[in-house]
Amino acid sequence: LTFKLTRIKTGIFSRTGKLDSNGIDGKTYSAQVFRAAIDFIISDKIILTNLIETNIEDKDYVSNEQIASRVIYDVSEKASAAIEFNRIDISSIGDQYENSLKLYGSYQFSDIQWGNLNFDFKIVPFYSHSLSGKGYFKTSSMGVQLHTYFK
Protein backbone atom coordinates (compact mmCIF):
# COMPACT_ATOMS: atom_id res chain seq x y z
CA LEU A 1 0.00 0.00 0.00
CA THR A 2 1.07 3.55 -0.60
CA PHE A 3 -0.02 6.89 0.72
CA LYS A 4 0.06 10.38 -0.80
CA LEU A 5 3.78 10.84 -0.29
CA THR A 6 5.10 7.59 -1.83
CA ARG A 7 5.00 5.53 -5.02
CA ILE A 8 6.19 1.94 -5.15
CA LYS A 9 7.24 0.26 -8.41
CA THR A 10 8.28 -3.38 -8.71
CA GLY A 11 8.87 -5.73 -11.58
CA ILE A 12 10.73 -8.68 -12.98
CA PHE A 13 12.45 -8.41 -16.34
CA SER A 14 14.91 -10.31 -18.48
CA ARG A 15 18.26 -8.91 -19.54
CA THR A 16 19.82 -10.62 -22.56
CA GLY A 17 22.94 -10.24 -24.62
CA LYS A 18 24.46 -11.97 -27.62
CA LEU A 19 28.19 -12.38 -28.05
CA ASP A 20 29.37 -12.44 -31.66
CA SER A 21 32.97 -12.93 -32.71
CA ASN A 22 34.25 -11.80 -36.12
CA GLY A 23 30.76 -11.84 -37.59
CA ILE A 24 30.06 -15.41 -36.45
CA ASP A 25 26.96 -15.88 -34.32
CA GLY A 26 27.85 -16.62 -30.76
CA LYS A 27 26.02 -17.67 -27.63
CA THR A 28 23.05 -15.77 -26.22
CA TYR A 29 23.23 -15.01 -22.51
CA SER A 30 20.32 -14.05 -20.26
CA ALA A 31 19.42 -13.17 -16.68
CA GLN A 32 16.15 -12.64 -14.82
CA VAL A 33 16.26 -9.55 -12.65
CA PHE A 34 13.99 -8.25 -9.87
CA ARG A 35 13.67 -4.46 -9.64
CA ALA A 36 12.01 -2.56 -6.80
CA ALA A 37 11.82 1.21 -6.38
CA ILE A 38 10.15 3.52 -3.93
CA ASP A 39 9.68 7.23 -4.53
CA PHE A 40 9.30 9.62 -1.62
CA ILE A 41 7.50 12.76 -2.75
CA ILE A 42 9.12 15.42 -0.59
CA SER A 43 7.39 18.44 -2.16
CA ASP A 44 5.72 19.48 -5.40
CA LYS A 45 9.16 19.89 -6.97
CA ILE A 46 11.40 17.33 -5.18
CA ILE A 47 11.31 13.51 -5.32
CA LEU A 48 13.74 11.10 -3.62
CA THR A 49 13.76 7.77 -5.44
CA ASN A 50 15.54 4.61 -4.28
CA LEU A 51 16.14 1.57 -6.49
CA ILE A 52 17.42 -1.94 -5.95
CA GLU A 53 18.05 -4.49 -8.70
CA THR A 54 19.01 -8.04 -7.81
CA ASN A 55 19.40 -11.15 -9.93
CA ILE A 56 16.87 -13.96 -9.61
CA GLU A 57 18.73 -16.19 -12.05
CA ASP A 58 22.00 -15.33 -13.76
CA LYS A 59 24.16 -18.37 -14.39
CA ASP A 60 25.95 -16.57 -17.27
CA TYR A 61 26.92 -13.47 -15.21
CA VAL A 62 25.22 -11.06 -17.62
CA SER A 63 23.66 -8.76 -15.07
CA ASN A 64 25.08 -6.63 -12.26
CA GLU A 65 23.33 -5.97 -8.97
CA GLN A 66 22.63 -2.33 -8.23
CA ILE A 67 21.50 0.02 -5.47
CA ALA A 68 20.80 3.66 -6.37
CA SER A 69 19.41 6.74 -4.72
CA ARG A 70 18.37 9.80 -6.78
CA VAL A 71 17.09 13.26 -5.90
CA ILE A 72 15.02 14.83 -8.69
CA TYR A 73 14.20 18.54 -8.76
CA ASP A 74 11.58 19.88 -11.17
CA VAL A 75 12.93 23.19 -12.40
CA SER A 76 9.76 23.86 -14.39
CA GLU A 77 6.83 21.90 -15.79
CA LYS A 78 9.02 20.65 -18.67
CA ALA A 79 12.57 20.64 -17.24
CA SER A 80 14.20 18.83 -14.33
CA ALA A 81 17.61 18.07 -12.87
CA ALA A 82 18.81 15.12 -10.77
CA ILE A 83 21.80 13.77 -8.87
CA GLU A 84 22.26 10.03 -8.26
CA PHE A 85 24.56 7.96 -6.08
CA ASN A 86 24.91 4.44 -7.41
CA ARG A 87 26.60 1.20 -6.26
CA ILE A 88 27.02 -1.62 -8.75
CA ASP A 89 28.22 -5.07 -7.65
CA ILE A 90 29.77 -6.92 -10.59
CA SER A 91 28.13 -10.36 -10.72
CA SER A 92 30.93 -12.23 -12.42
CA ILE A 93 33.38 -11.51 -9.62
CA GLY A 94 31.89 -11.51 -6.13
CA ASP A 95 34.38 -9.04 -4.63
CA GLN A 96 34.22 -6.31 -7.29
CA TYR A 97 32.08 -3.17 -7.04
CA GLU A 98 31.88 0.46 -8.15
CA ASN A 99 30.40 3.56 -6.53
CA SER A 100 29.49 6.34 -8.93
CA LEU A 101 27.87 9.75 -9.12
CA LYS A 102 25.52 10.66 -11.96
CA LEU A 103 24.14 14.07 -12.92
CA TYR A 104 21.05 14.35 -15.12
CA GLY A 105 19.11 17.08 -16.85
CA SER A 106 15.92 16.58 -18.82
CA TYR A 107 13.49 18.39 -21.06
CA GLN A 108 10.08 16.96 -21.95
CA PHE A 109 7.96 17.57 -25.03
CA SER A 110 4.37 16.86 -23.94
CA ASP A 111 1.26 15.69 -25.82
CA ILE A 112 2.86 15.00 -29.19
CA GLN A 113 0.26 13.91 -31.76
CA TRP A 114 1.47 11.76 -34.65
CA GLY A 115 -1.31 9.98 -36.50
CA ASN A 116 -3.19 7.93 -33.91
CA LEU A 117 -0.30 8.14 -31.43
CA ASN A 118 -0.36 10.48 -28.45
CA PHE A 119 2.89 10.50 -26.46
CA ASP A 120 5.42 12.47 -24.44
CA PHE A 121 9.09 12.55 -25.42
CA LYS A 122 11.92 13.31 -23.01
CA ILE A 123 15.58 14.11 -23.75
CA VAL A 124 17.89 13.30 -20.81
CA PRO A 125 21.58 14.25 -21.06
CA PHE A 126 23.75 12.77 -18.29
CA TYR A 127 27.26 12.70 -16.88
CA SER A 128 28.57 9.76 -14.82
CA HIS A 129 31.79 9.55 -12.83
CA SER A 130 33.31 6.69 -10.78
CA LEU A 131 34.02 7.76 -7.22
CA SER A 132 35.44 4.63 -5.60
CA GLY A 133 35.25 0.86 -5.58
CA LYS A 134 37.24 -2.33 -5.63
CA GLY A 135 38.59 -4.06 -8.75
CA TYR A 136 36.90 -1.64 -11.18
CA PHE A 137 37.95 0.64 -14.03
CA LYS A 138 37.68 4.31 -13.10
CA THR A 139 35.47 5.88 -15.74
CA SER A 140 33.66 9.04 -16.68
CA SER A 141 30.97 9.05 -19.33
CA MET A 142 28.50 11.39 -20.96
CA GLY A 143 25.47 10.57 -23.02
CA VAL A 144 21.87 11.23 -23.90
CA GLN A 145 18.91 9.02 -23.06
CA LEU A 146 15.66 9.26 -25.02
CA HIS A 147 12.44 8.34 -23.19
CA THR A 148 9.01 7.89 -24.79
CA TYR A 149 5.79 7.68 -22.78
CA PHE A 150 2.73 6.52 -24.77
CA LYS A 151 -0.70 7.58 -23.57
Side-chain angles (χ1 to χ4, degrees):
L1 295 174
T2 64
F3 56 98
K4 290 182 182 181
L5 300 177
T6 64
R7 292 186 297 220
I8 298 173
K9 303 173 189 175
T10 60
I12 296 173
F13 65 95
S14 179
R15 184 172 280 147
T16 60
K18 187 172 184 180
L19 182 61
D20 294 341
S21 178
N22 296 327
I24 299 169
D25 282 349
K27 183 177 176 186
T28 300
Y29 300 94
S30 67
Q32 281 66 46
V33 180
F34 173 75
R35 175 185 287 173
I38 184 166
D39 294 345
F40 296 100
I41 302 167
I42 297 170
S43 74
D44 290 344
K45 294 189 169 273
I46 300 173
I47 297 173
L48 171 64
T49 184
N50 298 290
L51 166 83
I52 186 166
E53 277 186 7
T54 186
N55 299 322
I56 298 169
E57 181 181 338
D58 186 12
K59 62 182 178 217
D60 296 320
Y61 303 112
V62 180
S63 183
N64 299 319
E65 297 190 352
Q66 168 177 251
I67 297 173
S69 197
R70 182 185 302 181
V71 176
I72 303 168
Y73 177 72
D74 289 333
V75 177
S76 69
E77 204 171 290
K78 294 187 175 276
S80 64
I83 185 168
E84 176 180 291
F85 295 98
N86 196 345
R87 178 185 168 113
I88 298 174
D89 290 323
I90 312 322
S91 295
S92 60
I93 303 168
D95 203 20
Q96 185 177 4
Y97 64 91
E98 175 190 7
N99 298 313
S100 64
L101 172 73
K102 292 183 179 181
L103 302 173
Y104 297 90
S106 71
Y107 187 82
Q108 181 168 307
F109 300 93
S110 300
D111 293 322
I112 298 170
Q113 296 287 334
W114 188 27
N116 291 327
L117 292 177
N118 182 7
F119 61 97
D120 295 342
F121 182 74
K122 188 183 285 188
I123 299 173
V124 184
F126 68 89
Y127 172 75
S128 176
H129 182 73
S130 300
L131 298 174
S132 64
K134 183 175 181 184
Y136 73 102
F137 295 105
K138 190 164 183 128
T139 60
S140 293
S141 61
M142 295 173 53
V144 176
Q145 298 174 348
L146 304 175
H147 301 199
T148 305
Y149 305 96
F150 292 98
K151 297 179 180 183

